[in-house]
Amino acid sequence: EWKPKKGDCIECMAKAEESEPYGWWTCTVKTIRDNLYLITYEGWENHHEVLQLNMLRPYNDQFLFTDIDVKIKRDFMEISDAAKQEFKSLLNCNRDSDIKIPVFDGFERIIKQ
């Protein structure tokens, strides 16, 4: 079973704000006592939190997102301007030729096919 040590760079499950969902944040283990870990968030040296092991995981150094280029078929270019604008807004792009979609690793293969 994985157990972090003092000084380890790890990730903890936390919320940026109470109304937001949990996410994984980079942090450092400062002190360990029993099953409690005093951590400091990266970039927030004065913000400490005490967490149990179930809220921690090893640091993930894998890049989760990648940009891929998607070619737009001519059929798409012939649809209405309103439909094109809606599609572009969903993809968060500004030009017809500049559509980049963030995808999780592992799904890239499916999207490129």
Side-chain angles (χ1 to χ4, degrees):
E1 179 178 305
W2 173 78
K3 289 225 179 204
K5 299 181 204 77
K6 182 177 178 180
D8 281 357
C9 180
I10 62 170
E11 292 181 345
C12 68
M13 188 181 293
K15 294 181 177 188
E17 292 190 29
E18 191 61 35
S19 62
E20 294 186 6
Y22 280 98
W24 291 103
W25 297 78
T26 304
C27 59
T28 303
V29 177
K30 294 296 181 186
T31 306
I32 304 166
R33 184 170 294 166
D34 298 324
N35 193 31
L36 300 175
Y37 296 81
L38 176 67
I39 58 98
T40 300
Y41 293 98
E42 183 177 293
W44 297 84
E45 302 309 318
N46 294 325
H47 187 78
H48 305 289
E49 196 163 348
V50 177
L51 299 171
Q52 292 183 332
L53 183 61
N54 65 334
M55 299 293 281
L56 308 176
R57 73 177 185 187
Y59 178 75
N60 182 1
D61 61 358
Q62 300 296 312
F63 189 66
L64 296 178
F65 294 98
T66 184
D67 287 340
I68 61 172
D69 293 324
V70 177
K71 293 183 180 179
I72 304 300
K73 293 184 176 186
R74 291 213 182 271
D75 294 346
F76 174 78
M77 296 303 177
E78 295 170 3
I79 65 173
S80 72
D81 287 338
K84 281 195 282 187
Q85 190 58 39
E86 181 183 0
F87 180 76
K88 291 187 330 185
S89 69
L90 290 171
L91 297 178
N92 193 27
C93 68
N94 299 317
R95 300 176 303 195
D96 289 338
S97 62
D98 185 29
I99 297 176
K100 294 193 179 212
I101 306 170
V103 294
F104 285 100
D105 285 348
F107 292 100
E108 178 179 343
R109 181 182 82 264
I110 296 168
I111 290 178
K112 281 188 175 179
Q113 289 179 349

